[in-house]
Structure formats: structure tokens, C-alpha cells
Amino acid sequence: MTLASRAMSRRGLLKLAGGTATAGALMGASGCGLLGGSQSAGGGDGQLEKPNLKVGAMPVTDLAPLHLAVRNGIFQQEGLNVEIVTTSDGSAALTSTIGGDYDITYASYVPFFAAQARGVADLKIVADCGAGAPNTTTIMTSPSSKVRTPQDLAGKTIAISGPRTISELLVKATMRAYGVDFSKSEFTAIPFINMPAALQQGRVDAAILTEPFLTQAARASGAVPVADTNTGPLEDLPLTGYGATAKFVQENPKTVAAFQRAMDRAVAESQDRSKIEPLLPEFAKIDKETAAIISLLKFNSRADATRLQRVPRLMKDFGFLDNEVDVAKMIVPPTPA
């Protein structure tokens, strides 16, 4: 199948516009997270080093399993009391974690690997979170724009969430996959929440939008897709995860193991969309209608070195890193209950 033939179908466009039935959940758990065996609470014996955890997190849809674990008492069954602290962005959350304000944090993998490569901190990947799925992160444009194909992006102004972020990496990698020279394009930093308005006002020619902003832009202003970033070399790309400092992991091995077990169970339960859809309006701050039609990332819990190594490899290709990062050394292996 060619990259061109992977472009979003008319049916997908209609779904984004809110004109068809509810989208099916595009979710998948890590195979390891669904292995048989005991799922009993391994941390309920009071022996956890740090039962009260602060987890830095953004109000985004791929954190549905985390909120489900809190809501359904999965963390408590592992002896954990988890406080989810809302942060402005992943980089800020990571900075707070390095400084000791949070115990574990959610972020895209880009700041994790950038900080590790530059020696800012010794970081560990505690659990995987989300990977790319069709129609979840898409380069969009306004109906009045002349941009209609990936080739039209050459030399245009494109909104990204910030420099050297996962959004910039996805846009450039997608353009390269389509054979488009991105060196002459202008990349301007705009928060995701403001991108739909920037498109509608003509301040940018295109923008990379993730859910729920993607669906909101399509419904509110008729924004149309240019390229789905979950194609070619980016298909099923790991995007986000949970990390902590090596010091925290070393000092709290039982606590980390309990967190991992809880996330395994939460991700398994999250395969049933009916269990997480009601939570989306609460923590992602979206209306029920949008929650019912948005596409979801593929939920994962177990971090796999081979899959995750794709991210720093891409970062090095596009000048985000000077040196390679050995992901395998960063992953905290699961401990049996």
C-alpha cells in the first residue's frame, strides 16, 4: 500500500465532522500486560516504600487508563494512593519530576530521551502509555486553504506545539515520508488548544492536531485532513510514557512494581471503550458528544525496547539528538507480584 493510499478516507473525514456513527476504539494493550496469571494486589501488605504517589499528568485522552485506575480503585488494591497533578505540558512535568516535586510523570518520549542524552538527569521509563493510531494525530488545514496534499506543505507555515517536541518530529518525519522538503517550511509554536482558531483565522497554513482538538476543529470550522501521521515509518510509533528518576526507582522498587501492575490492569480494562468514555469529559475537559466520536491512541503499559528505540532514532535523524540513547537501559523491567 502506498503512502498516498493511506490518506484519510472520506468516511474518516465524515467521522471527524461528526456526521457518522461513533468511531470504534482504536486501542491495543501490550501483549505482556495481558498475560495470564495472578492479578492479585502485590502491594497490599503495607511494605511499599512510598504508598502515596504524586503523578504529573496533562488533561489528555491517552491518560484514560491512569484515571480509570484511580476511579476503580486499582491503585488502592496494589497498596497505592495516587494523586494526579495536572501540568501544563510534558516538559514542565518532567522538570518537576527531576526536581522532586512529582514521583512519576507522564510525557511524550521526546523530552525523556532529550534529557537523558544531554545528561540533564538519569531517567527511567516506568511504563508505556500511548502509541500512534489512525486519525489520532493529523496534519490539518482550513477549508479555504490551498493546502490539500502533503506535497502542498512545502514552503508553508505549519503550527506545532513547540520546537523540538513530538509534534515537530511527527510533522517533519511525515513530510519526509511523502518526499516533501520541510527545510523551507516555517514551523510556528502554538498550543494545541489554540490551533483550531489559528487555522480558521488563516494565521497558519496547516497545523498538527491531536485529539480532541482534531475533532473539535473539524466540527467547529470544517478543518480538513492533509496527512495522517500514523503512516509509513511512523505507524504504531510509541508517543508517550511514564518516567521517573533513577534515584526514585532505586529507592522504591516495590512501589514502582505496584504502579506497573496497576497500569497493566488498567490498560487491560481500558480496551472496553465504554469503561473510559464517561471519564473523558471529566479529565480531558471535552463534551460528551466529542468524547463519543474521537479516535483514541493505542493504550500500552509494558515498555518494549525495540519499539521505543524508534523514537530516539528518529530524533537523531532530525537533529533533536547528537548521540544515540540506549532505551533498553532506561526501561524498568516488571517484577512479578
Side-chain angles (χ1 to χ4, degrees):
M1 183 179 293
T2 64
L3 283 172
S5 66
R6 290 175 183 247
M8 189 178 293
S9 64
R10 177 174 176 78
R11 180 181 179 186
L13 176 57
L14 288 172
K15 180 195 75 67
L16 288 178
T20 63
T22 300
L26 293 166
M27 303 180 292
S30 159
C32 293
L34 298 178
L35 290 177
S38 173
Q39 290 187 327
S40 61
D45 56 5
Q47 296 180 4
L48 298 185
E49 305 89 355
K50 196 175 193 301
N52 298 318
L53 291 182
K54 283 189 176 183
V55 178
M58 297 167 60
V60 292
T61 58
D62 47 324
L63 286 174
L66 179 71
H67 288 270
L68 183 72
V70 171
R71 175 64 64 88
N72 288 5
I74 297 174
F75 283 125
Q76 288 185 330
Q77 292 169 24
E78 291 289 349
L80 291 171
N81 177 36
V82 171
E83 176 187 357
I84 300 175
V85 184
T86 302
T87 65
S88 58
D89 60 72
S91 295
L94 181 57
T95 298
S96 295
T97 302
I98 293 172
D101 295 329
Y102 307 145
D103 303 306
I104 295 172
T105 194
Y106 157 93
S108 86
Y109 282 118
V110 168
F112 279 128
F113 296 142
Q116 187 75 9
R118 293 168 189 154
V120 174
D122 188 6
L123 300 172
K124 297 295 182 181
I125 305 299
V126 173
D128 197 7
C129 181
N135 304 339
T136 55
T137 306
T138 303
I139 300 174
M140 306 282 284
T141 190
S142 68
S144 60
S145 172
K146 294 182 179 180
V147 175
R148 283 295 179 268
T149 70
Q151 287 69 30
D152 296 334
L153 294 170
K156 298 299 192 295
T157 300
I158 305 170
I160 58 175
S161 62
R164 293 182 177 271
T165 58
I166 187 67
S167 64
E168 181 182 353
L169 187 66
L170 289 175
V171 171
K172 289 184 175 179
T174 298
M175 291 177 70
R176 185 178 72 175
Y178 280 99
V180 182
D181 182 5
F182 57 79
S183 64
K184 296 181 181 179
S185 297
E186 180 181 347
F187 298 92
T188 182
I190 297 177
F192 283 122
I193 195 171
N194 297 330
M195 287 186 188
L199 281 176
Q200 190 172 16
Q201 297 163 7
R203 291 189 282 123
V204 294
D205 299 303
I208 179 169
L209 286 162
T210 188
E211 291 286 25
F213 310 110
L214 192 159
T215 293
Q216 291 171 341
R219 297 179 71 194
S221 61
V224 295
V226 177
D228 188 338
T229 64
N230 186 59
T231 57
L234 302 179
E235 187 171 356
D236 196 33
L237 183 74
L239 300 176
T240 58
Y242 298 95
T245 63
K247 181 176 184 293
F248 178 84
V249 171
Q250 291 165 359
E251 293 178 351
N252 304 279
K254 294 180 181 179
T255 300
V256 171
F259 180 87
Q260 291 176 320
R261 289 192 298 270
M263 291 309 301
D264 281 348
R265 293 178 57 197
V267 165
E269 288 192 21
S270 296
Q271 305 318 299
D272 181 352
R273 182 169 178 137
S274 67
K275 292 186 176 181
I276 61 171
E277 192 173 297
L279 301 179
L280 298 180
E282 296 180 21
F283 73 86
K285 308 304 180 185
I286 58 178
D287 58 81
K288 292 182 179 179
E289 291 75 17
T290 299
I293 66 173
I294 61 172
S295 298
L296 297 170
L297 292 176
K298 180 186 290 184
F299 298 143
N300 295 304
S301 57
R302 297 289 178 91
D304 177 81
T306 301
R307 292 181 61 253
L308 265 61
Q309 194 66 51
R310 296 169 61 195
V311 180
R313 190 176 299 123
L314 275 172
M315 291 173 68
K316 191 169 186 297
D317 285 349
F318 288 93
F320 284 40
L321 296 178
D322 294 326
N323 305 307
E324 289 280 1
V325 172
D326 187 349
V327 174
K329 294 182 179 179
M330 294 179 65
I331 294 175
V332 180
T335 302

